[in-house]
Amino acid sequence: MRGFEKYLALWVALCMGLGLLLSQTVPGVGAAIDSWQVRGVSIPIGICLFLMMYPAMLNLQLAELRKLRRNPKPILLTLFSNWILAPLVAAGLAALFLRGNEQLMVAVLLLGASPCTAMVLVWGKLAEGNQEQNVVNTSLNTITLMVLYVPIVSLLTGIQNIPLDRALLAISAAVFIGAPLVLGIASKRLLIRARGEEWFASVYRPAVGNLAIVALLVTLVVLFALNGEVLLHHFDQLLLVSLPLLIGFALIVGFNLLATRSLRFRYREAIITTIIGSSSHFEIAIASAVAMYGVGSYAALGTTMGLFWEVPIMLSLVYLGKVLRRKGFWKA
């Protein structure tokens, strides 16, 4: 699967293109998919988003958090980047570029207030970073996401006077973070008790992780099949939301690279810190946007564009990190 993950940016682009093609060549495909819903929530999208979230929760290892005392600086820097810098940058860029486009502003804020807990394990492995630190950090992010995500999004939208259904935001967090978390903890304990920790770690978790990537790609096909007409007739909106997303990535990645160098981190800690501190939890952002505004909304498409740009940027960061290591950018 590693070779497949290496070209994930290509698969993302192809699935988006396939969704657009279906919307134009198969009459009624969007209406047919959209009809599978319960109380406004798309069943196909809901299932895929749940499958994207569940594997991330299997990585939660509370016992690993005790290792924070060994070398807390990388974790503290990542927390600062995830929960202070990224939300503030997202809020500032959304106000600067998207004023008057409330759904696109919300999309950028949802992405800025959701630190990644899943795909960073893939990027960290490809970058040959410190995977122990990666597990500790993603476990901590899972816990903080449960506590901070809804309050920070509510605060940032409130400051900018953007009307938001906070009840739906909280419900989406409970469904797409809380439920997978409970299921992940329960299934992990039961499976380890039944089959052993080695089988769980070497067989079950990788298989479910592969399923999550498939669910991600299916989600893209469905979203773009549903919204093909909107996309093709409002392509300017996607370009508009891409501007703050790309500038935000540049600012946050740049900050983390310089901060890890200034704090004299070694490569294996520095690259993990930069990757986690610069990425977003696009799964919960997309789920929240769909829950609050609907599958065919600009908010849903805006959060999807976050995914579209994040995958190639993170892959590029993997290779950039290796180049900087060879050039002695970080402490030897």
Side-chain angles (χ1 to χ4, degrees), residues 220-268:
L220 292 175
V221 174
V222 173
L223 280 173
F224 278 76
L226 280 167
N227 300 294
E229 290 297 326
V230 176
L231 278 168
L232 295 174
H233 291 94
H234 299 87
F235 190 70
D236 58 319
Q237 298 295 306
L238 295 187
L239 294 179
L240 183 63
V241 76
S242 292
L243 194 57
L245 290 175
L246 290 172
I247 293 174
F249 274 124
L251 291 174
I252 296 169
V253 169
F255 166 82
N256 283 306
L257 287 174
L258 293 175
T260 53
R261 176 184 169 90
S262 298
L263 293 170
R264 298 181 59 77
F265 288 4
R266 293 180 174 85
Y267 168 76
R268 296 185 71 242

Side-chain angles (χ1 to χ4, degrees), residues 90-91 94-95 98 101-114 149 153-154 156-158 160-165 169 241 245 285-286 288-290 292-293 297-300 302-303:
L98 301 173
N101 294 274
E102 288 183 348
Q103 288 196 27
L104 293 183
M105 289 182 72
V106 170
V108 173
L109 294 176
L110 289 172
L111 289 163
S114 54
Y149 176 65
V153 173
S154 299
L156 294 178
T157 52
Q160 305 207 44
N161 296 315
I162 300 173
L164 190 74
D165 191 330
L169 178 63
V241 76
L245 290 175
I286 294 172
S288 301
V290 169
M292 291 188 292
Y293 296 101
S297 64
Y298 285 125
T303 51

Side-chain angles (χ1 to χ4, degrees), residues 17-34 36 221-222 224-229 232:
L18 177 59
L20 284 175
L21 183 64
L22 287 173
S23 72
Q24 300 302 300
T25 58
V26 181
V29 65
I33 295 173
D34 197 36
W36 302 338
V221 174
V222 173
F224 278 76
L226 280 167
N227 300 294
E229 290 297 326
L232 295 174

Side-chain angles (χ1 to χ4, degrees), residues 16-331:
M16 288 179 168
L18 177 59
L20 284 175
L21 183 64
L22 287 173
S23 72
Q24 300 302 300
T25 58
V26 181
V29 65
I33 295 173
D34 197 36
S35 66
W36 302 338
Q37 58 177 258
V38 176
R39 295 185 180 181
V41 177
S42 169
I43 295 174
I45 293 291
I47 292 172
C48 287
L49 289 172
F50 190 89
L51 291 175
M52 289 160 62
M53 291 293 297
Y54 168 67
M57 301 309 170
L58 295 176
N59 298 316
L60 178 62
Q61 298 185 33
L62 295 177
E64 294 292 307
L65 296 180
R66 289 178 295 185
K67 297 177 180 177
L68 284 171
R69 291 175 296 180
R70 291 185 191 172
N71 186 17
K73 284 198 296 185
I75 309 293
L76 292 174
L77 176 58
T78 307
L79 288 174
F80 172 80
S81 183
N82 283 154
W83 289 113
I84 297 178
L85 181 64
L88 291 177
V89 167
L93 292 173
L96 181 62
F97 291 102
L98 301 173
R99 182 69 68 185
N101 294 274
E102 288 183 348
Q103 288 196 27
L104 293 183
M105 289 182 72
V106 170
V108 173
L109 294 176
L110 289 172
L111 289 163
S114 54
C116 193
T117 65
M119 289 302 296
V120 288
L121 294 171
V122 176
W123 311 138
K125 185 185 296 184
L126 292 174
E128 300 170 4
N130 185 332
Q131 286 297 86
E132 184 178 60
Q133 176 194 342
N134 209 347
V135 170
V136 172
N137 227 145
T138 52
S139 297
L140 191 58
N141 275 356
T142 301
I143 297 169
T144 53
L145 194 64
M146 285 289 296
V147 177
L148 297 176
Y149 176 65
V150 173
I152 286 183
V153 173
S154 299
L155 175 65
L156 294 178
T157 52
I159 289 173
Q160 305 207 44
N161 296 315
I162 300 173
L164 190 74
D165 191 330
R166 289 171 175 78
L168 271 179
L169 178 63
I171 290 171
S172 67
V175 172
F176 293 106
I177 301 177
L181 178 61
V182 172
L183 180 61
I185 293 172
S187 60
K188 182 178 180 179
R189 287 182 178 177
L190 290 172
L191 289 169
I192 288 177
R193 188 180 303 166
R195 300 294 302 271
E197 191 163 352
E198 184 178 348
W199 178 87
F200 175 83
S202 62
V203 178
Y204 182 77
R205 191 163 59 187
V208 174
N210 295 341
L211 178 63
I213 294 178
V214 173
L216 162 66
L217 298 177
V218 172
T219 300
L220 292 175
V221 174
V222 173
L223 280 173
F224 278 76
L226 280 167
N227 300 294
E229 290 297 326
V230 176
L231 278 168
L232 295 174
H233 291 94
H234 299 87
F235 190 70
D236 58 319
Q237 298 295 306
L238 295 187
L239 294 179
L240 183 63
V241 76
S242 292
L243 194 57
L245 290 175
L246 290 172
I247 293 174
F249 274 124
L251 291 174
I252 296 169
V253 169
F255 166 82
N256 283 306
L257 287 174
L258 293 175
T260 53
R261 176 184 169 90
S262 298
L263 293 170
R264 298 181 59 77
F265 288 4
R266 293 180 174 85
Y267 168 76
R268 296 185 71 242
E269 288 71 42
I271 194 62
I272 294 296
T273 301
T274 303
I275 287 172
I276 299 179
S278 306
S279 56
S280 62
H281 202 310
F282 49 77
E283 297 96 331
I284 188 58
I286 294 172
S288 301
V290 169
M292 291 188 292
Y293 296 101
V295 175
S297 64
Y298 285 125
L301 290 174
T303 51
T304 305
M305 288 308 294
L307 159 63
F308 177 77
W309 291 119
E310 179 165 324
V311 172
I313 287 171
M314 288 297 110
L315 283 171
S316 300
L317 183 56
V318 167
Y319 295 110
L320 175 62
K322 292 180 178 180
V323 170
L324 292 176
R325 175 175 59 176
R326 289 197 296 270
K327 293 184 177 295
F329 182 80
W330 288 289
K331 182 180 176 183

Side-chain angles (χ1 to χ4, degrees), residues 3-21:
F4 184 86
E5 293 164 348
K6 185 178 180 181
Y7 298 101
L8 189 56
L10 174 61
W11 312 136
V12 166
L14 287 175
C15 286
M16 288 179 168
L18 177 59
L20 284 175
L21 183 64

